[in-house]
Amino acid sequence: MADRVLITTDDLEQAVRVNAALEQAGYDTAMVSSLDDVRAAVGSREPDAIVLTGGLHESTAKRLLAAAREHGVSTLGLVEPTDADPSQVGHELGLTGWLKKPPLDPGEITATVRRLIERRRLQQRTGILGESPAIQEVLVKIEQMAPVTSTVLIEGESGTGKELVARAIHDLSPRRGKAFIAVNSAGLPETLLESELFGHEKGSFTGAAERRLGRFELANGGTIFLDEVAEMPSATQVKLLRVLEDRTFFRVGGTQPIHVDVRVIAATNKSLKEAVALGTFRDDLFYRLNVLSIYLTPLRERRSDIPLLVRTFIAEFAKTLDRNFKGITPDALQILVDADWPGNVRQLRNLIESMVVLAPEGEIRASDIPRDIRERTRTLPVRIPSPQPQSQEVAGQELEFIFRTLVELKMQLEDLRRRIEERPAERVEVIEVGTRDSGLGTREIEAGVDPLASSPESPTPVIYRPGMSMTDVERAAIDAALRETHGNRRKAAETLGIGERTLYRKLKEYAID
Ligand SMILES: Nc1ncnc2c1ncn2[C@@H]1O[C@H](COP(=O)(O)OP(=O)(O)OP(=O)(O)O)[C@@H](O)[C@H]1O
Ligand SMILES: [Mg+2]
């Protein structure tokens, strides 16, 4: 089926030309002169791209652009010659592509539209959502970096999508048929990490009963993803440097050099440059890793992507969790857009997952959003300065950021102390499941919101810890519901807002009896 493109008629002359060029190139086109027209056109089939021929600064165009961003539809804006800098206009308005008027060459129009549509396909294939210029730039880089074998360094705060991007590069590369192997450098002692990376020979150390292949050998022909590379012990850094230089290494306890053909993608949520300055990371290794680089912007600096992420995650979880879910109210969405997201997309995704399970009305409302998010309480984010050279102004902003963070931290502490002091002396049952490692703080699902705390005689607050998986949350919810209903499965299913059969399936799945 031909790709569908809508063309606004604000500049009728250009619209007619663009329409003719795209039709000629085989696109299914429609000219639209108002938002009603757009609605009618979208009603029959969602477009793959929208070309805005003029009126870019007007409110109708802004509404259309906001709707397109929410649906992940690419937009091409034709910028007036009076606008000095088309790319600035494009960034400001959140266009995915732009061309300066006139003259518009039909070939240029069709090539640009084709590129935008291909990028949209790429997003669908890789699962990387976002219409913000920051994400669009990342996608362009992924397309450029995929075909080559050069080493890539991906930097970004926790949860910004580093692994997602690394997988996308691999999946689009000629190595896609071979392995993608991830190794986390954090938390492993040096000897274990080295045996993990390079393998070991039989008897090379106590417990090495068999020869074992390392991750580099297993990734032969494919890609190795070195996660949290800033945490790598210095002796291992030296060995990695050698592998990067000639793709050759020795197994632990081995004497035969082993040669592999592996592409290396490294990631870090700490600034590697800072680690070099602190002397914890070798500068020669930094340069070897930083051949190509991608920086992932924190979510709070690309808030225009939040509505699309929220709606996509809601639809995804409603489907996988088999919940009949209506969506999200506008004021709840606004709270999520305004929140700070120190844990970035991962935190947003996990929160949506828990809200899709727990929101009692089958719709996310403002009152369903946990208090720390609603009050925009910030947790100290791990901040990586963008790799561009810093101007004095940026350095000033950096200082202001540190200052602001310290003030906020102080306020958080005071708030915490107040809350502890105000806490009634009631017995609080705490269900602790899952890991506690994400460092985002503990969030309590408030009694009024939590459907599991509805029984007046035995309130059972469930403590949710960021980092808990959906399975952990579900298990805890089911446990609590069963306890509350004294094991009555029908009532428990009712409390949980799921069908009895679904509850039975989950009991079986989680082996709860
Ligand atoms: N742009 C995005 N579009 C859709 N999903 C995203 C995006 N960015 C991140 N995610 C999702 O957020 C979660 C975290 O992403 P990922 O594991 O890639 O982050 P990370 O940067 O590697 O985090 P960490 O530093 O903590 O390891 C994943 O579920 C991922 O699919
Ligand atoms: Mg990761």
Side-chain angles (χ1 to χ4, degrees):
M1 205 192 298
D3 292 326
R4 184 164 171 77
V5 185
L6 300 187
I7 303 145
T8 68
T9 55
D10 295 70
D11 180 338
L12 193 56
E13 194 190 326
Q14 294 296 350
V16 170
R17 278 199 212 169
V18 171
N19 190 41
L22 292 175
E23 231 174 32
Q24 173 85 30
Y27 287 95
D28 168 12
T29 63
M31 291 211 267
V32 287
S33 58
S34 65
L35 288 177
D36 281 341
D37 268 9
V38 173
R39 259 175 236 122
V42 169
S44 54
R45 187 181 148 204
E46 190 165 277
D48 295 286
I50 302 177
V51 182
L52 291 94
T53 57
L56 294 179
H57 299 282
E58 280 159 31
S59 63
T60 315
K62 285 185 183 151
R63 281 170 59 196
L64 181 57
L65 284 170
R69 264 197 305 276
E70 261 193 54
H71 289 263
V73 174
S74 308
T75 49
L76 171 63
L78 306 188
V79 179
E80 300 298 332
T82 43
D83 281 314
D85 182 356
S87 68
Q88 193 186 342
V89 174
H91 276 94
E92 269 169 21
L93 298 176
L95 290 159
T96 24
W98 48 85
L99 286 172
K100 199 166 171 139
K101 287 201 273 191
L104 291 170
D105 165 33
E108 195 179 11
I109 287 277
T110 45
T112 313
V113 167
R114 188 173 309 120
R115 196 165 40 76
L116 291 182
I117 293 179
E118 273 168 11
R119 192 144 340 129
R120 186 171 185 235
R121 299 263 139 79
L122 178 68
Q123 293 193 265
Q124 284 163 345
R125 231 176 110 184
T126 58
I128 301 173
L129 300 167
E131 293 297 311
S132 62
I135 288 291
Q136 294 300 313
E137 275 165 31
V138 167
L139 289 163
V140 172
K141 283 191 165 182
I142 291 175
E143 275 175 323
Q144 292 168 333
M145 294 176 183
V148 298
T149 29
S150 317
T151 303
V152 183
L153 176 65
I154 307 174
E155 291 186 286
E157 287 179 13
S158 178
T160 46
K162 296 184 292 297
E163 182 155 354
L164 192 62
V165 166
R167 282 184 190 277
I169 295 175
H170 173 77
D171 289 343
L172 294 171
S173 79
R175 299 170 172 264
R176 74 182 75 95
K178 295 284 171 62
F180 174 91
I181 305 255
V183 191
N184 193 324
S185 312
L188 284 185
E190 188 186 307
T191 45
L192 222 59
L193 179 61
E194 287 186 7
S195 137
E196 196 68 24
L197 287 171
F198 310 118
H200 60 244
E201 294 294 346
K202 186 175 172 174
S204 56
F205 53 84
T206 327
E210 294 297 331
R211 164 192 281 179
R212 181 166 179 245
L213 300 188
R215 301 296 174 109
F216 267 100
E217 268 180 278
L218 295 172
N220 198 9
T223 306
I224 193 163
F225 176 56
L226 303 174
D227 206 0
E228 303 205 36
V229 77
E231 308 298 328
M232 191 175 273
S234 51
T236 320
Q237 289 179 30
V238 180
K239 294 195 174 148
L240 177 61
L241 184 65
R242 241 178 279 141
V243 184
L244 291 176
E245 268 159 12
D246 57 11
R247 297 291 190 265
T248 303
F249 58 89
F250 294 90
R251 293 193 193 111
V252 175
T255 48
Q256 286 292 317
I258 294 164
H259 187 83
V260 285
D261 163 29
V262 171
R263 181 178 201 178
V264 177
I265 302 181
T268 174
N269 54 24
K270 292 198 184 119
S271 165
L272 264 199
K273 244 194 187 146
E274 253 168 47
V276 170
L278 288 170
T280 55
F281 203 81
R282 297 179 65 100
D283 61 347
D284 43 7
L285 180 56
F286 170 69
Y287 293 116
R288 275 278 172 194
L289 291 175
N290 196 29
V291 179
L292 300 174
S293 66
I294 294 184
Y295 171 70
L296 291 172
T297 312
L299 193 53
R300 65 184 167 280
E301 288 172 24
R302 49 182 174 95
R303 295 183 190 278
S304 65
D305 285 338
I306 293 177
L308 172 64
L309 289 165
V310 168
R311 291 196 198 284
T312 314
F313 292 152
I314 289 178
E316 182 191 328
F317 291 123
K319 197 164 163 224
T320 52
L321 297 165
D322 197 17
R323 267 213 88 174
N324 190 6
F325 212 78
K326 287 190 281 255
I328 182 164
T329 61
D331 53 336
L333 181 62
Q334 192 58 49
I335 294 169
L336 298 184
V337 169
D338 291 338
D340 283 300
W341 305 115
N344 293 291
V345 186
R346 176 183 295 109
Q347 187 189 10
L348 174 66
R349 191 181 151 87
N350 288 349
L351 178 69
I352 299 284
E353 188 172 9
S354 68
M355 289 197 297
V356 170
V357 175
L358 299 172
E361 307 295 336
E363 174 181 58
I364 297 172
R365 299 183 177 174
S367 55
D368 298 327
I369 300 172
R371 206 159 80 184
D372 59 345
I373 304 275
R374 260 188 346 229
E375 291 173 356
R376 303 185 61 182
T377 315
R378 293 171 196 201
T379 342
L380 189 65
V382 185
R383 191 178 157 88
I384 296 189
S386 114
Q388 277 88 36
Q390 295 200 345
S391 65
Q392 271 207 319
E393 190 194 341
V394 175
Q397 284 171 4
E398 201 76 0
L399 270 179
E400 198 211 289
F401 169 79
I402 294 170
F403 179 70
R404 244 183 332 119
T405 311
L406 285 173
V407 171
E408 275 157 13
L409 206 60
K410 186 164 173 273
M411 280 164 57
Q412 266 177 261
L413 275 174
E414 275 165 7
D415 183 39
L416 206 63
R417 189 177 307 133
R418 208 183 55 241
R419 278 200 239 169
I420 292 170
E421 281 165 2
E422 283 169 5
R423 211 184 181 91
E426 59 169 344
R427 192 179 70 87
V428 175
E429 190 178 347
V430 176
I431 300 171
E432 278 190 20
V433 268
T435 55
R436 313 152 163 249
D437 59 358
S438 73
L440 298 175
T442 302
R443 177 153 48 75
E444 226 181 279
I445 298 170
E446 293 160 78
V449 178
D450 177 7
L452 307 177
S454 57
S455 161
E457 72 269 24
S458 68
T460 315
V462 176
I463 296 290
Y464 167 79
R465 291 181 191 288
M468 275 171 71
S469 71
M470 198 53 237
T471 314
D472 298 332
V473 174
E474 269 200 340
R475 228 179 207 289
I478 292 172
D479 268 344
L482 283 171
R483 232 173 307 145
E484 228 171 44
T485 57
H486 306 291
N488 183 325
R489 294 182 174 186
R490 190 181 50 74
K491 279 194 192 153
E494 228 168 69
T495 318
L496 290 164
I498 58 175
E500 222 178 324
R501 273 177 44 205
T502 312
L503 179 63
Y504 273 90
R505 188 166 48 75
K506 288 186 185 297
L507 289 173
K508 211 166 145 217
E509 194 179 318
Y510 298 144
I512 300 174
D513 45 38

